[in-house]
Amino acid sequence: MTASVLYDAPGPAARRRTMISSIVAGVIILAVVVVVALRLAAQGQFTADRWGPLFNPFHQYFAAIWTLLGNALVATLLAAAVTLVLSLVIGTAFTVTRVTANKYYRWLVVGVIEFLRGVPVVIAIFFASRVLPEFGVSLPIFWYLVIGLTAYNSVIIAEIIRAGIASLPRGQAEAGYSVGLTRWQVLSSILLPQAFRVMLPALISQLVVIVKDTSLGFIISYEEFVRTANIIIQTTRNPIQTYLVVALIFIVVNFALGKLAEYVERRSSRARKTAAAPADPTLVDTGAAGGG
């Protein structure tokens, strides 16, 4: 029986081959996991001395380690939050400038956006920390990281917002112009609010990227999460365990942000469907009867 136009439901032979392939792949993966576990056990990676500093509350380093990790996590999330706010403001300014710019200087705006999009994030951070002091701009390390991240993510957010504006029906802007609104009034009152709502899940997903990119702060000695983990490893000598904990915390944070994006997308879709639903005919009839 055909499942769709482009996909036929597998027959008995295909299902049997798929099951055999899945079993073989599962056995291979299990064998690799067992071999890795045995090698790690032979090297003493499962001993209490390796895991105790991170999971044993009575270990002498437990409180100090989690205090350092907690402070580093706060520093990481703070840098990500400030970067997101600045990127939204600057990215929106880039979008408005690009949309409203005259053709004679629009190339300049597009050139700046494309240049910043092509610069690697690590280069932007390093450039901010090395070049700005040469011009007499002395800032805390935190701000060099934020400036580098903002330089890259602001143009990405600008493209996200521009895509949101481009996805709106042309009649939205034409209706605004027809009642005498200026281009800026149409953008600020009609297009931008809808573009933010449409692209909000993508904006939240970009926050996940920003959170992960804060780990690049180690190149300028910013005390973020990964650099703090490296400092802890120098004392505890347990890189596998420490990096595993750091990875799990990053996964939890990014998973929560991803779920937030899904929740916002569902709410936005529900709100659009509610707004597009027709009025209750009984209420219309009642009003009509009363008017008669």
Side-chain angles (χ1 to χ4, degrees):
M1 180 178 179
T2 303
S4 67
V5 177
L6 300 178
Y7 175 73
D8 291 334
R15 288 197 298 268
R16 186 167 54 254
R17 287 194 299 267
T18 301
M19 182 181 66
I20 294 173
S21 301
S22 300
I23 293 174
V24 171
V27 170
I28 294 174
I29 293 174
L30 181 60
V32 171
V33 170
V34 171
V35 171
V36 171
L38 291 175
R39 293 292 300 273
L40 292 175
Q43 297 174 5
Q45 296 296 334
F46 295 129
T47 60
D49 292 337
R50 300 280 186 173
W51 297 90
L54 293 166
F55 295 100
N56 184 6
F58 301 102
H59 195 278
Q60 59 178 338
Y61 294 140
F62 180 84
I65 286 175
W66 282 104
T67 299
L68 288 174
L69 289 177
N71 294 334
L73 181 61
V74 170
T76 295
L77 296 179
L78 179 62
V82 174
T83 299
L84 178 66
V85 173
L86 293 179
S87 298
L88 279 173
V89 174
I90 298 174
T92 303
F94 271 131
T95 301
V96 172
T97 304
R98 181 170 183 174
V99 172
T100 61
N102 190 283
K103 64 180 181 179
Y104 297 107
Y105 62 90
R106 184 182 295 120
W107 63 270
L108 180 60
V109 180
V110 175
V112 172
I113 292 176
E114 294 300 326
F115 172 77
L116 292 177
R117 285 180 63 188
V119 174
V121 186
V122 64
I123 298 299
I125 297 172
F126 186 81
F127 186 86
S129 64
R130 291 295 183 269
V131 175
L132 291 181
E134 296 295 331
F135 290 94
V137 182
S138 181
L139 297 172
I141 297 177
F142 170 84
W143 288 107
Y144 292 135
L145 175 62
V146 168
I147 290 172
L149 292 175
T150 301
Y152 175 78
N153 288 280
S154 60
V155 295
I156 300 300
I157 290 178
E159 291 300 292
I160 292 174
I161 299 174
R162 188 174 70 88
I165 293 176
S167 67
L168 299 176
R170 294 180 59 88
Q172 298 278 345
E174 294 172 354
Y177 294 137
S178 67
V179 297
L181 297 181
T182 64
R183 180 179 295 183
W184 166 247
Q185 289 173 329
V186 169
L187 272 173
S188 60
S189 303
I190 300 175
L191 299 182
L192 281 178
Q194 295 185 78
F196 275 114
R197 187 175 67 248
V198 170
M199 304 306 294
L200 191 55
L203 293 174
I204 297 177
S205 298
Q206 188 62 28
L207 175 58
V208 174
V209 177
I210 294 174
V211 171
K212 292 188 293 186
D213 285 346
T214 54
S215 61
L216 297 174
F218 78 93
I219 65 171
I220 57 174
S221 301
Y222 179 66
E223 299 296 334
E224 46 79 37
F225 209 38
V226 177
R227 175 174 171 79
T228 301
N230 291 331
I231 295 174
I232 292 172
I233 290 170
Q234 294 175 6
T235 302
T236 58
R237 305 294 181 183
N238 58 348
I240 295 178
Q241 293 76 11
T242 302
Y243 283 136
L244 179 61
V245 170
V246 170
L248 289 176
I249 293 176
F250 266 121
I251 290 172
V252 169
V253 172
N254 292 329
F255 179 78
L257 292 174
K259 288 300 179 182
L260 176 61
E262 294 178 5
Y263 171 76
V264 171
E265 186 175 9
R266 287 196 301 269
R267 288 293 301 269
S268 299
S269 300
R270 192 179 303 119
R272 288 194 295 269
K273 291 178 181 179
T274 303
D280 190 347
T282 59
L283 297 179
V284 176
D285 293 341
T286 302

